[in-house]
Amino acid sequence: MSDVDFKQALADAGIPTTDAGLRQAWEAEVSAQGSKLSNTSAYSPFWRVVTALVTKPVLWILDFFVATVLPNFFVKTAVDSWLDMLAWAVNVERKGATKAQGVLLFTRTAPGGAMEVPARTVVQSAAINGHIYQLVTTTPGLFTDGLMQLQIPVEAIETGSGFNLAPGYYAILPEPLPGIAQVVNADGWLTTPGADPEPNEDLRLRTRNQFSAVNQWHTDAVYRAMISAFPGVSPDGVYFQHGAPRGPGSANAFVLFEADVPAAAFLEQINAHIRDSGNHGHGDDLLVMVMPETQHDVSIQIWPRAYLTAEQLQALEEGVAQFIRAAFRESSTSDYQPTRTHPQSRFSFSRLGEELHQQFAGIESLDFANVDIVSELNIPRIRSLQVHLHD
């Protein structure tokens, strides 16, 4: 429902909502009260002041009522603290921001002797659309004699989902460490995903879901409410597979994460909450898993505009690669906002081409070697990506 609908509802109730309508109602009321004033001309200073003193405050109140108060009475249109109160009424609270936590793999140059990587060592990503993400080690990392590689716990320097980057993105030491040859975030590096303060749309979905979840049966809505209460899990990112995939009473819940998939330990926490802590229905066997993936080789040819310099061509190549990877959920929407892959949908490369043209003015023409990807209960991922720039 829009502001126009609320304003029309007031008008249908006989409440004037415009300056002309209020003036007319005011003049009619003055006349009905037996006013002896005869100089009601628009050129009368006295009458203009009196009318303005009445109509202006009423318009202010009506505008506030129509634009703020009425919309925030309903879950569909409420925002911010108003939505928080409506959610609280059904025992739902907005999820706060969290820091990404995980482990990085450090490799040193020689195996001999002991070596320590200090706590608070900074590791960062390359720039993604101007954003650089940094992690810091939370404990000292000790290489024992003969050990070449070591996993060291890290956390993001700030809260937010943008730090949930795919494997390989964190590989830069802004201050080189003597004896360290390489650092990288390997597969399964993320133990706890970072999260932004829950946006209004996600809180709205969880609040709506709660109306279905408040019952005595463990329906999809009940399990969706429990799973989406964990950080980094969106209520519209939980998909159910029914049909007793593991026998009578069994079902699977597949979770789609915004960017990188967290380590198995994070899913174990969710499953422990449901399966081991008694938060499941009698006879239910619900198993929470990561959304299955399909791997794809993506190739694009780009004809850049002739006036681009060598530096601009390199930036274009890197930017296009990052944009495509963002479409396949290797980074969050805090960097690029392409149309992203989804389960049970068609991913259009022609749409992706349109968005690349809109994002990068240096592209004269482009051509994907791929056809559309039609997903079932799975999510497409990039196995390899090739960006070719033509001279």
Side-chain angles (χ1 to χ4, degrees):
M1 184 177 288
S2 65
D3 292 353
V4 175
D5 298 321
F6 289 119
K7 187 172 289 187
Q8 185 60 47
L10 292 178
D12 293 343
I15 301 173
T17 59
T18 64
D19 183 89
L22 286 169
R23 287 176 182 272
Q24 184 178 1
W26 160 241
E27 291 174 1
E29 182 62 25
V30 169
S31 177
Q33 295 300 322
S35 171
K36 303 301 183 181
L37 291 173
S38 59
N39 185 10
T40 58
S41 167
Y43 299 99
S44 167
F46 173 76
W47 185 249
R48 289 205 308 271
V49 169
V50 171
T51 305
L53 289 175
V54 173
T55 57
K56 283 293 184 182
V58 174
L59 281 174
W60 293 339
I61 293 173
L62 284 176
D63 287 343
F64 175 71
F65 195 66
V66 169
T68 303
V69 176
L70 279 177
N72 284 301
F73 276 175
F74 305 94
V75 173
K76 180 179 179 180
T77 48
V79 296
D80 302 333
S81 58
W82 298 78
L83 182 58
D84 288 340
M85 290 189 289
L86 293 173
W88 178 87
V90 291
N91 202 30
V92 173
E93 292 187 6
R94 188 185 299 269
K95 291 187 289 186
T98 59
K99 288 185 177 183
Q101 297 179 340
V103 292
L104 295 183
L105 182 64
F106 285 76
T107 303
R108 62 174 176 170
T109 55
M115 176 185 173
E116 182 178 279
V117 176
R120 309 305 296 177
T121 296
V122 177
V123 181
Q124 68 185 38
S125 70
I128 306 175
N129 196 23
H131 299 157
I132 295 177
Y133 297 97
Q134 292 185 325
L135 306 175
V136 294
T137 57
T138 55
T139 60
L142 180 62
F143 284 89
T144 57
D145 186 29
L147 188 64
M148 282 292 293
Q149 291 187 317
L150 179 67
Q151 287 188 330
I152 302 178
V154 293
E155 72 173 9
I157 61 170
E158 297 175 352
T159 60
S161 61
F163 292 85
N164 304 335
L165 297 177
Y169 275 75
Y170 291 107
I172 300 174
L173 285 167
E175 296 183 6
L177 286 177
I180 295 297
Q182 184 185 39
V183 60
V184 69
N185 58 320
D187 290 338
W189 75 276
L190 192 63
T191 55
T192 302
D196 303 308
E198 188 173 19
N200 287 327
E201 285 307 314
D202 283 2
L203 180 58
R204 199 186 322 277
L205 286 173
R206 289 206 299 131
T207 303
R208 288 180 58 196
N209 181 76
Q210 193 74 350
F211 286 100
S212 303
V214 182
N215 59 63
Q216 60 187 6
W217 307 106
H218 275 63
T219 60
D220 287 0
V222 174
Y223 287 118
R224 189 187 307 276
M226 285 190 283
I227 297 169
S228 61
F230 283 80
V233 180
S234 173
D236 58 353
V238 181
Y239 295 77
F240 291 95
Q241 181 185 34
H242 303 100
R246 293 183 313 285
S250 68
N252 294 329
F254 296 104
V255 178
L256 175 63
F257 292 93
E258 287 298 311
D260 187 37
V261 175
F266 185 72
L267 271 297
E268 291 172 3
Q269 296 177 32
I270 301 177
N271 277 309
H273 176 73
I274 294 174
R275 299 168 66 86
D276 302 333
S277 300
N279 295 309
H280 61 83
H282 294 297
D284 283 2
D285 177 13
L286 180 76
L287 184 62
V288 182
M289 296 181 284
V290 172
M291 180 66 65
E293 300 177 353
T294 57
Q295 300 295 321
H296 302 268
D297 299 312
V298 180
S299 178
I300 182 175
Q301 298 187 62
I302 294 177
W303 287 264
R305 300 194 182 276
Y307 57 77
L308 296 183
T309 65
E311 292 78 9
Q312 290 172 327
L313 288 172
Q314 182 180 356
L316 176 63
E317 183 178 0
E318 293 174 355
V320 167
Q322 291 173 352
F323 192 91
I324 295 173
R325 291 186 180 279
F328 282 79
R329 297 177 177 270
E330 290 194 7
S331 61
S332 70
T333 54
S334 57
D335 301 301
Y336 290 111
Q337 290 83 38
T339 299
R340 301 201 293 169
T341 55
H342 286 87
Q344 300 174 332
S345 66
R346 174 184 292 271
F347 180 75
S348 169
F349 280 94
S350 62
R351 171 67 60 82
L352 180 58
E354 293 175 6
E355 294 172 343
L356 283 167
H357 272 293
Q358 294 171 359
Q359 181 71 35
F360 302 99
I363 297 178
E364 184 171 351
S365 183
L366 58 82
D367 180 43
F368 278 101
N370 302 82
V371 296
D372 288 357
I373 301 172
V374 179
S375 303
E376 297 180 354
L377 199 58
N378 49 54
I379 189 70
R381 300 287 188 183
I382 291 178
R383 177 167 50 207
S384 68
L385 172 62
Q386 294 182 331
V387 179
H388 302 284
L389 293 185
H390 284 265
D391 296 333

